[in-house]
Amino acid sequence: MLYRETGQFKTDYASDQAIFPILQDRIGIAIILAIAIAIPFTGNDFLLNAVLIPFLIFALASIGLNLLTGYTGLLSLGTGAFMGVGAYACYRLTSSFPDVNILVWIIASGLITAAVGAVFGIPSLRIKGFYLAVATLAAQFFLEWCFIRIPWLYNYNTSGAIEVPQRELFGVIITGPRATSATRYYVVLAFVIIMTWFASNLVHGRIGRMWMAVRDMDIAAELMGIRLLPTKLLAFAVSSFYCGVAGALMVFLWYGGAEASAFSINQSFTVLFMIIIGGLGSLLGSFLGAALIYILPIVVRLLPESLGLPLHADTVEHITSMTLGVLIIVFLVSEPAGLARLWQIGKQKLRVWPFPY
């Protein structure tokens, strides 16, 4: 009875087309944001470093891939490499221009990744489906090779790894070993909130409708006047921008340093599984998929320990892999729209409860 829109009248088109037209949805979003802001005051470093920060970063990368695969219908297997482009670009910019604010270079690294993604998206005009996936897979392997074989990218470090320097913002250390967990969490949270808001406005506007038209039937979209190549390249660029920013945040505000192996094909498949389980073509699904896939191994490891049944690390990995495989098969067969669709069904039933329709 609490989730009901009775008495909530719409007096103009803007309120009728709002993303959250029901008051309870807006209250729920406000509560979630308030909880997210208040968590560092009650949580510990483990919760911030091992759960929330990586969850937000993977959710941001999932949004980027979802814009390309879920909204435009272009399958990509190079997400991990594009995250690596963002990380290495941010490291090079920070090393070359140490006096510039690190947040500026994180955004600039996303723009560089967008340019790289647009270049590798050029074949999307002629090929699609499995062949496009193979083309993006080739981009994954090529970029991985660059991360290892081009010393300029990692500033000629003998270890071949990215070493995150200490940087400050308004006198507060936000990167480096001396940065607190709460500070890094707030920076990541701010990026995720702003970029999610931007993506939401993007997919609900003209560009989003163009992407969905291309996804549903590209020939019909072209007959309607949509230019396929600019539309697809824009999707690759925006998707790569999000993945590049996520990669920079991952290294500078979570890992504190990384090697090329951190951006392997496994990373690409992990993000792809997140949007499959969470829901293609849904921003909410990106968060739900990231929460399930990343937090599931933590729960599998900690729950038996709390019950007095400690599991070996290999056992936890095997259980996680099997559970993930089963979930992917179940969702592809029974609910291809993922967790986001289940959430929509639940909300719809609440709106009419206790009546059947």
Side-chain angles (χ1 to χ4, degrees), residues 6 39 44 92 110 150 159 245 253 270 275 285 329:
T6 303
I39 281 178
N44 53 27
R92 278 303 312 173
I150 302 180
S159 62
V245 172
L253 295 170
T270 298
I275 67 171
I329 295 174

Side-chain angles (χ1 to χ4, degrees), residues 166-180 183-184:
Q166 177 177 306
R167 292 293 183 268
E168 299 180 2
L169 178 65
F170 303 118
V172 179
I173 300 174
I174 60 175
T175 62
R178 295 177 57 191
T180 63
T183 302
R184 292 184 283 108

Side-chain angles (χ1 to χ4, degrees), residues 44-55 181 184 254 294-295 298 301-302:
N44 53 27
D45 287 343
F46 174 80
L47 178 64
L48 296 177
N49 287 327
V51 180
L52 294 180
I53 291 178
F55 157 67
S181 302
R184 292 184 283 108
W254 178 28
Y294 184 79
I295 298 178
I298 300 176
R301 185 177 70 252
L302 296 181

Side-chain angles (χ1 to χ4, degrees), residues 169-332:
L169 178 65
F170 303 118
V172 179
I173 300 174
I174 60 175
T175 62
R178 295 177 57 191
T180 63
S181 302
T183 302
R184 292 184 283 108
Y185 168 76
Y186 279 127
V187 173
V188 174
L189 180 64
F191 268 98
V192 172
I193 291 175
I194 294 173
M195 295 182 70
T196 302
W197 172 81
F198 179 78
S200 178
N201 283 274
L202 200 63
V203 299
H204 287 91
R206 181 178 61 88
I207 294 176
R209 291 193 294 270
M210 291 168 55
W211 286 344
M212 287 182 278
V214 172
R215 175 196 64 190
D216 295 338
M217 186 175 292
D218 54 356
I219 297 178
E222 189 174 17
L223 293 175
M224 293 169 57
I226 297 176
R227 300 173 62 192
L228 293 184
L229 182 58
T231 303
K232 291 182 178 181
L233 291 185
L234 180 62
F236 265 100
V238 175
S239 171
S240 300
F241 173 80
Y242 275 73
C243 294
V245 172
L249 293 176
M250 184 175 70
V251 173
F252 279 75
L253 295 170
W254 178 28
Y255 285 167
E259 297 180 348
S261 59
F263 311 106
S264 64
I265 185 64
N266 293 331
Q267 192 82 282
S268 301
F269 280 117
T270 298
V271 179
L272 179 62
F273 296 155
M274 287 178 180
I275 67 171
I276 291 176
I277 293 179
L280 293 172
S282 170
L283 298 181
L284 174 63
S286 301
F287 285 92
L288 296 178
L292 179 64
I293 290 183
Y294 184 79
I295 298 178
L296 178 63
I298 300 176
V299 174
V300 171
R301 185 177 70 252
L302 296 181
L303 184 59
E305 291 181 359
S306 63
L307 299 176
L309 300 171
L311 296 179
H312 194 271
D314 292 339
T315 304
V316 173
E317 184 177 356
H318 295 327
I319 294 176
T320 303
S321 299
M322 290 188 296
T323 305
L324 180 60
V326 171
L327 286 175
I328 292 175
I329 295 174
V330 169
F331 277 104
L332 287 177

Side-chain angles (χ1 to χ4, degrees), residues 47-123:
L47 178 64
L48 296 177
N49 287 327
V51 180
L52 294 180
I53 291 178
F55 157 67
L56 292 174
I57 291 173
F58 279 115
L60 189 62
S62 299
I63 290 175
L65 183 59
N66 222 336
L67 292 177
L68 181 66
T69 302
Y71 284 95
T72 317
L74 303 175
L75 182 60
S76 173
L77 297 178
T79 307
F82 294 135
M83 294 176 69
V85 172
Y88 279 91
C90 188
Y91 177 66
R92 278 303 312 173
L93 291 172
T94 305
S95 302
S96 302
F97 307 96
D99 297 330
V100 179
N101 193 306
I102 183 63
L103 301 184
V104 175
W105 290 143
I106 291 177
I107 298 174
S109 65
L111 296 175
I112 294 174
T113 311
V116 175
V119 171
F120 284 104
I122 293 177

